[in-house]
Amino acid sequence: MLWFKCHEIIPGFILALIYVALSLSGVFLYMEYESIEDVDTHCRIAYTAERNTAAFRQRNYSAFVVGFSGEVGRHLLEVLNRAKIFGKITLIGRRIIKLNNLGPEFEQRRVKFDLLDDYADIFEGIDYGFCTLGTSHGSVQSAEFNRVDHDYVLKTAELAKAGGCKHFSVVSSHGADGNSSFFFNRAKGLMEETLMQYNFERLSIYRPGVLLCNRQEHRPGDTIFQSLLRPVAYFFPTAVTLPVETAAIAMLNNVVVPNNRSVDIYENKAIHVVAGMASQYCPPELVPLRHYGNSFHRKDHDSEF
Ligand SMILES: NC(=O)c1ccc[n+]([C@@H]2O[C@H](COP(=O)([O-])OP(=O)(O)OC[C@H]3O[C@@H](n4cnc5c(N)ncnc54)[C@H](OP(=O)(O)O)[C@@H]3O)[C@@H](O)[C@H]2O)c1
C-alpha cells in the first residue's frame, strides 16, 4: 500500500520540482535579458575609465571610505590600492583593523559613529567619499538597521558635504523605496531620498541585488543563500547577483569618468556594465578593449604602475 502511494507521490513531487525550476528559469531569463535604461552611458563609463585614469591620478585628489572592513569595502580597498588614483585615502571605521599590503596613501581613523559630529575634522577637505556601511545580516533588528544603514550613512554624507566632498558614492540596495512596506527597502529608500537633498556635485547610488562574496564574518544563512544562488549566477550572471569585486570596480570606473548628471542610480545589471563585466549589452564601438574591466583593476597588470 505504502509502496503504491510512494509510486504516485514521487513522480508528482519531481514534476512539481521541474515545474518550479522551469518557472524560476523563465523569471531569471527575463531579468537577465530585460533592457537596461541608459545602457550607452553605462557602457561609455567602462569604455573610457582606463583612458581617464592618468589624468585623474595627476589631480592628486583625496578620498575616504566608510565601511571599509565589510565585503564591498574590503574589495574597494583592493581596487583602490591597485589603481593608485588618490593621493590620500582615509579609512573611517569603528575599529582599527590589520590591513596587509596597502600603500602609504591609506590611513585608518577610528570613530564613534554615534558621536560622528565630534570627528567632523576628518572629513575636511576630502574630495571623494565612498560609503559601504551596512548591517545586512538577518539577526539585525530594524532599529539597529535604521541606525546604521540610514542614520550613520546620512551623518557621514552630511559631514562629507560640509567638508567639501565633490562626489559621494553609496551602496544602497535593489528595491530601495521610501514608500515600501518592507523596513529594509524603506530605510534604504529614505536614505537615498535624503541624500539627494544634500546637493552633492555628484551623488552615485549603487543598488546591488544579492552580493556574492566569501564572507569573512560567519553568517550561515548568508552562506546557504549564496550557495543556492551560485547556479543562478552562473547561468544568469547579471540578473540578481553581484560579485563584490564587480561592485568595487564599478565604483572606481564611475569616479574617474566625468558626468554632468548630479545623481546617478545604478541597478544591479547596470553595475555589471559600468564595471566592464557585461559588455554583451554594449554597442560594439563601446565594448571595453580588455574584457573584465580595465587594466589597472587587474592583478596581472600591476607592473604598469
Ligand atoms: N549582502 C547583500 O547581499 C546585500 C544586498 C544588497 C545591498 N547590500 C548593501 O551593501 C552594503 C555593503 O554590504 P556588505 O555585505 O559589504 O556589508 P558588510 O560586509 O556587513 O560590512 C558592513 C560595514 O559596515 C560596518 N558596520 C556595520 N555595523 C556597524 C555599526 N553598528 N557601527 C559602525 N559600523 C558598522 C562594518 O564594520 P565592522 O567590520 O566594524 O562590523 C563594515 O565595515 C550594505 O549597505 C548592504 O546593506 C548588501
Side-chain angles (χ1 to χ4, degrees), residues 66-74 92-95 97 113 131-137 144-145 147-149 152-153 171-174 184 188 191 206-213 215 217 219 222 225-226 244:
V66 174
F68 69 91
S69 53
E71 291 302 324
V72 176
R74 278 190 311 111
I92 302 167
R94 60 175 163 177
R95 60 198 172 105
I97 61 171
F113 279 89
C131 181
T132 62
L133 269 183
T135 49
S136 41
H137 53 100
E144 167 72 353
F145 176 80
R147 198 161 61 91
V148 179
D149 289 60
Y152 290 173
V153 172
V171 182
S172 177
S173 176
H174 172 74
F184 180 89
K188 291 286 197 189
M191 176 272 284
Y206 297 85
R207 289 182 175 168
V210 178
L211 292 174
L212 295 179
C213 53
R215 202 168 273 289
E217 191 187 339
R219 290 189 200 169
D222 199 89
F225 191 49
Q226 282 197 45
V244 281

Side-chain angles (χ1 to χ4, degrees), residues 110-159:
R110 186 169 170 222
V111 299
K112 289 182 178 154
F113 279 89
D114 284 329
L115 303 171
L116 208 54
D117 279 319
D118 294 352
Y119 302 87
D121 59 309
I122 297 179
F123 296 87
E124 265 166 34
I126 302 191
D127 306 300
Y128 288 79
F130 297 93
C131 181
T132 62
L133 269 183
T135 49
S136 41
H137 53 100
S139 58
V140 161
Q141 302 296 309
S142 53
E144 167 72 353
F145 176 80
N146 255 312
R147 198 161 61 91
V148 179
D149 289 60
H150 179 274
D151 302 355
Y152 290 173
V153 172
L154 291 178
K155 181 50 81 179
T156 299
E158 189 188 311
L159 295 174

Side-chain angles (χ1 to χ4, degrees), residues 55-246:
F56 189 94
R57 190 179 288 133
Q58 275 175 1
R59 301 211 171 109
N60 205 28
Y61 288 127
S62 53
F64 71 78
V65 183
V66 174
F68 69 91
S69 53
E71 291 302 324
V72 176
R74 278 190 311 111
H75 286 85
L76 185 60
L77 295 198
E78 273 181 30
V79 173
L80 287 171
N81 193 36
R82 290 206 291 276
K84 302 285 179 213
I85 56 167
F86 291 112
K88 184 179 170 205
I89 302 175
T90 308
L91 309 177
I92 302 167
R94 60 175 163 177
R95 60 198 172 105
I96 300 287
I97 61 171
K98 194 163 179 281
L99 294 167
N100 295 323
N101 308 321
L102 288 187
E105 71 274 26
F106 289 88
E107 68 157 14
Q108 290 191 55
R109 297 293 301 267
R110 186 169 170 222
V111 299
K112 289 182 178 154
F113 279 89
D114 284 329
L115 303 171
L116 208 54
D117 279 319
D118 294 352
Y119 302 87
D121 59 309
I122 297 179
F123 296 87
E124 265 166 34
I126 302 191
D127 306 300
Y128 288 79
F130 297 93
C131 181
T132 62
L133 269 183
T135 49
S136 41
H137 53 100
S139 58
V140 161
Q141 302 296 309
S142 53
E144 167 72 353
F145 176 80
N146 255 312
R147 198 161 61 91
V148 179
D149 289 60
H150 179 274
D151 302 355
Y152 290 173
V153 172
L154 291 178
K155 181 50 81 179
T156 299
E158 189 188 311
L159 295 174
K161 172 75 183 170
C165 175
K166 301 180 212 309
H167 185 174
F168 190 77
S169 303
V170 64
V171 182
S172 177
S173 176
H174 172 74
D177 175 0
N179 296 316
S180 172
S181 41
F182 296 107
F183 81 84
F184 180 89
N185 291 352
R186 190 170 58 249
K188 291 286 197 189
L190 291 174
M191 176 272 284
E192 289 185 3
E193 284 171 19
T194 312
L195 273 185
M196 288 179 207
Q197 292 163 16
Y198 288 178
N199 294 321
F200 281 100
E201 241 171 78
R202 276 186 76 184
L203 168 66
S204 299
I205 296 172
Y206 297 85
R207 289 182 175 168
V210 178
L211 292 174
L212 295 179
C213 53
N214 294 318
R215 202 168 273 289
Q216 286 193 330
E217 191 187 339
H218 181 59
R219 290 189 200 169
D222 199 89
T223 310
I224 294 167
F225 191 49
Q226 282 197 45
S227 310
L228 290 174
L229 280 174
R230 294 273 169 188
V232 176
Y234 182 80
F235 290 108
F236 312 104
T238 67
V240 284
T241 54
L242 181 73
V244 281
E245 299 83 354
T246 305

